[in-house]
Amino acid sequence: MTLGTVGFGLIAICYGFARFAFGLFLPQIDADLSLSSTVGGLISGGSFLGYCVAIVVSAHLTERLGPRVVATGAALVAAVGMIGIAAAPSSLWLAGAVMLAGSSTGLASPPMAAAVDAAVKPARQGATNTIINAGTGAGVVLSGPVALLMGGHWRVAFLVFAATALCMAIAVAFSVPVNAKPVGGSEKGLPRINKALKRLIIASFLMGASSTALWSFGSQLVTLRLGWGHTGVGLLWIAIGAAGMAGAWAGSLVARFGIDRTHWLFLGALAGGIFLVGFEGTTPALSLLGGALFGMAYIMLTGVYLVWGVSALPSRPATGLMIGFLTIAIGQTLGAPLFGLLMDQLAPTYAVITFALLAFTAGLSKSGKALKAGRCKQ
């Protein structure tokens, strides 16, 4: 329980505060630093790019240094990055700080998967992993009230977030196991990409790209469609985060209904959430409903990809998780600037419809027998 609680908190801070809160405060940051939608999308994409690099490094370091060192480093990187965001005097500085803060999420996930593999009984590992993964929703839902309290003072908000990250670094240093289970000599380096992993890469890439419609531009969409200010945007983030905590049940749903059925169901919810928030005739109630659908679906889907990756590489859980989460981030790296470009060059309606439809294409990739194979190997 201690590991699950600390892991939940670490993911909440790194994902909810250091990575996704940028989209929440983007309208205020835009007003202060004069960012266009395209530039905002590029900066947001930079956060995802930092994640891509960090998660590969993290999986490598976790297998060699152990989960405690890497997880503690993730919290410290999040703190430094968010201090940089708070102090940003220009768009260039902001881009670097956002990339650094976003990289903390890549550092955080692999060591937690390795820690669970080392410290939790096999029968409980899937549930524990998805509970920790649901910390993203908690971080997002907590960032909403901070936005409401701080109003337009986004610099102060990021300083508050940085302080919580420093506290979490201390908790991680005392709670996460020092060592992971040893990896066999023949399994070091890059894994063999089997069919299950290939399908995972395609699915997670497409889902990640579609999700940037709300993670990066949700606040701008409701400001444009509904004229919402700080309060309305904060409520949207609370709806996304609160529903996202339902992602803790992803492991149980996959075990009961299988990866493919669970995958299709929540891809549909993700697409519906994007459309309800961003279509031209949306209402406040529909936007909040859309945010809740999106938040629940996104965390559920990341839980699905977590179980999918770990099941495909049961002897290397940190690397299995890394593959799925890395390709989500690659999709987000490309998706954020593309959505911003579509908004600038065409219209928000075209961008929203395109990205909602993109979510469905991820369902064409089937998991095959990844979960069954993973259970047999365990």
Side-chain angles (χ1 to χ4, degrees):
M1 287 187 66
T2 300
L3 180 62
T5 301
V6 170
F8 184 90
L10 176 66
I11 296 300
I13 288 169
C14 290
Y15 280 80
F17 293 173
R19 186 176 178 191
F20 291 130
F22 176 74
L24 170 62
F25 290 98
L26 186 55
Q28 292 83 46
I29 297 172
D30 179 20
D32 288 351
L33 300 179
S34 300
L35 307 178
S36 67
S37 294
T38 301
V39 172
L42 288 170
I43 292 175
S44 183
S47 170
F48 300 131
L49 178 61
Y51 176 97
C52 293
V53 175
I55 196 168
V56 175
V57 173
S58 179
H60 174 81
L61 292 178
T62 297
E63 291 180 349
R64 284 151 181 79
L65 302 179
R68 178 180 295 178
V69 171
V70 182
T72 303
L76 293 174
V77 167
V80 173
M82 289 188 286
I83 291 171
I85 293 173
S90 65
S91 59
L92 184 61
W93 178 300
L94 179 68
V98 168
M99 182 178 290
L100 181 63
S103 70
S104 70
T105 54
L107 293 173
S109 294
M112 293 315 304
V116 169
D117 186 57
V120 179
K121 294 180 180 179
R124 296 291 303 162
Q125 287 178 7
T128 305
N129 273 321
T130 52
I131 288 170
I132 291 173
N133 185 60
T136 302
V140 172
V141 78
L142 288 172
S143 67
V146 172
L148 293 177
L149 291 172
M150 299 297 179
H153 301 293
W154 56 274
R155 296 181 189 275
V156 178
F158 275 101
L159 286 176
V160 172
F161 294 157
T164 62
L166 290 173
C167 293
M168 182 52 63
I170 298 172
V172 168
F174 283 98
S175 304
V176 174
V178 174
N179 296 314
K181 287 183 180 178
V183 178
S186 62
E187 296 183 299
K188 293 179 180 178
L190 293 175
R192 178 178 173 272
I193 304 298
N194 55 35
K195 288 184 178 180
L197 289 178
K198 288 178 182 177
R199 292 164 177 166
L200 170 62
I201 288 169
I202 294 170
S204 55
F205 174 83
L206 293 170
M207 190 284 287
S210 68
S211 73
T212 56
L214 293 195
W215 283 133
S216 298
F217 293 94
S219 58
Q220 287 189 321
L221 286 171
V222 294
T223 299
L224 175 67
R225 298 301 195 200
L226 302 170
W228 280 2
H230 311 308
T231 301
V233 172
L235 290 174
L236 174 67
W237 237 245
I238 290 171
I240 290 173
M245 287 190 285
W249 295 99
S252 299
L253 290 175
V254 167
R256 183 170 183 179
F257 299 109
I259 289 178
D260 292 329
R261 288 183 182 179
T262 308
H263 190 211
W264 266 115
L265 174 63
F266 290 104
L267 286 173
L270 188 81
I274 292 169
F275 182 76
L276 287 175
V277 172
F279 84 101
E280 191 168 0
T282 193
T283 65
L286 287 176
S287 288
L288 292 176
L289 174 61
L293 275 174
F294 174 84
M296 175 182 65
Y298 182 85
I299 307 303
M300 282 284 187
L301 288 167
T302 57
V304 167
Y305 297 143
L306 189 160
V307 173
W308 190 339
V310 170
S311 299
L313 284 176
S315 63
R316 301 181 66 184
T319 301
L321 178 147
M322 178 271 289
I323 290 173
F325 280 31
L326 171 63
T327 47
I328 290 173
I330 292 172
Q332 290 169 328
T333 301
L334 299 176
L338 177 59
F339 191 93
L341 183 64
L342 288 175
M343 283 187 67
D344 279 343
Q345 300 298 321
L346 297 175
T349 298
Y350 290 106
V352 166
I353 292 174
T354 299
F355 274 62
L357 292 175
L358 186 62
F360 282 111
T361 63
L364 299 176
S365 184
K366 305 294 184 181
S367 66
K369 298 181 179 180
L371 183 59
K372 183 178 179 181
R375 282 177 174 167
C376 290
K377 289 178 183 178
Q378 287 174 348

